[in-house]
Amino acid sequence: MKESRIGGLKQISFLLILGFIFLFPRITPAQTVFENSLKAKMDSIVSQNGDYKFFNQALLPNNSVQSIMTPSGWGGGNSTYIFGVLGGVFPAMYTDPQKADLIGVVGVSGGNPVKYVNASVSLNVTRVSELRDLSANIILSRQIFKGSSISVGGLQLFASPAVSDAPDPTFYIAYSHAAQSVRSRTAGYSGLGYTIGYGTGRFLYKSPQDTLTGKGKYGTGFFANISYEIFRQVNLNAEWSGMNLGFSSGVRPLRSSPLTIGFGVYNLTKYSGDRIQFIASLGLPIVLGRRLENKRQKADRLIKDKNRIRDDRTPPNFRGGENGLIMRN
């Protein structure tokens, strides 16, 4: 019995030591020397080619507009920035004579979504020409595993029933994924991404005009979008808003500028609304202070600086349409 216990303890000790070595391989001198020499050699080769990539680092969604009518599961990156977005449709639904419908958004985003949570708070101005009909957006996001993120939020909150034509707030949850097998033409980003989600308010309730014209009171509540990069910094998108179908394109016209442009066509079915609409958006972020960096990002930046590669000044994951810019039904 005693010998059996001793044998069992030896086996357990051996497994613990073996597991410790695998979990912390750098404590073994021979392996450390080998790994360091191999890493130095690979870094030297990659540095000479001027193309430094972390093959085990998750690809993020590219920074062109990926959706206009639907939110994203991605929040801002690990930087703090203020942003402004202006969007509009023509013609507005159920208007005679036909006229445009505009909405402006200004806000701030901050917090690390990888380690903690990212928060975006913004203010909507629905009647842009009059600077009235105000409401607020609050969005929280968190990256959950490689290439994926979720967000929960409230859009167009605290709207005045006396002024707004749609005073009901919208609450939603969304999941987004950036395909890891489809690389963007910009290093470190994915060329294919999608979002699925569910929401109340503008995703679920149709406008009073829809109800009066016999289209029903409720939409599906479920929304989705898919985006594919057809050219460098140019995306082609398809969206279901919970009410209707639309197609759009997102463009970053200047590689070194954070300016984002989106345009598209919506309300292509007869499920809601009374006409097809053309939509456009313009977004601009301004970074506040120095970007917070983890070890990989710092090494990436140093390599880029060494090889004189101009770094992208756009905050990670800012695409111009995900911060609450949802047009009225």
Side-chain angles (χ1 to χ4, degrees), residues 35-55:
E35 287 182 351
N36 288 342
S37 62
L38 180 61
K39 183 177 183 298
K41 183 65 176 178
M42 292 298 295
D43 289 350
S44 176
I45 294 174
V46 172
S47 179
Q48 290 175 8
N49 293 334
D51 185 16
Y52 190 88
K53 295 180 180 179
F54 295 101
F55 294 100

Side-chain angles (χ1 to χ4, degrees), residues 92-107:
M93 288 194 295
Y94 294 110
T95 58
D96 188 20
Q98 296 183 355
K99 61 180 181 180
D101 188 9
L102 295 174
I103 183 172
V105 180
V106 291

Side-chain angles (χ1 to χ4, degrees), residues 166-200:
D168 295 328
T170 294
F171 299 96
Y172 78 91
I173 180 170
Y175 165 83
S176 292
H177 179 71
Q180 300 300 290
S181 59
V182 182
R183 289 186 175 272
S184 167
R185 291 162 178 80
T186 302
Y189 295 96
S190 172
L192 176 66
Y194 65 85
T195 296
I196 55 175
Y198 180 82
T200 62

Side-chain angles (χ1 to χ4, degrees), residues 15-95:
L15 291 175
L16 289 175
I17 294 172
L18 187 63
F20 188 77
I21 292 173
F22 275 108
L23 290 174
F24 304 97
R26 294 189 178 184
I27 64 171
T28 56
Q31 188 171 357
T32 301
V33 173
F34 173 75
E35 287 182 351
N36 288 342
S37 62
L38 180 61
K39 183 177 183 298
K41 183 65 176 178
M42 292 298 295
D43 289 350
S44 176
I45 294 174
V46 172
S47 179
Q48 290 175 8
N49 293 334
D51 185 16
Y52 190 88
K53 295 180 180 179
F54 295 101
F55 294 100
N56 62 340
Q57 186 174 6
L59 297 179
L60 295 175
N62 67 69
N63 282 333
S64 295
V65 175
Q66 297 190 357
S67 63
I68 301 178
M69 294 292 290
T70 52
S72 167
W74 297 95
N78 51 346
S79 58
T80 300
Y81 60 91
I82 57 175
F83 60 87
V85 183
L86 180 65
V89 295
F90 181 84
M93 288 194 295
Y94 294 110
T95 58

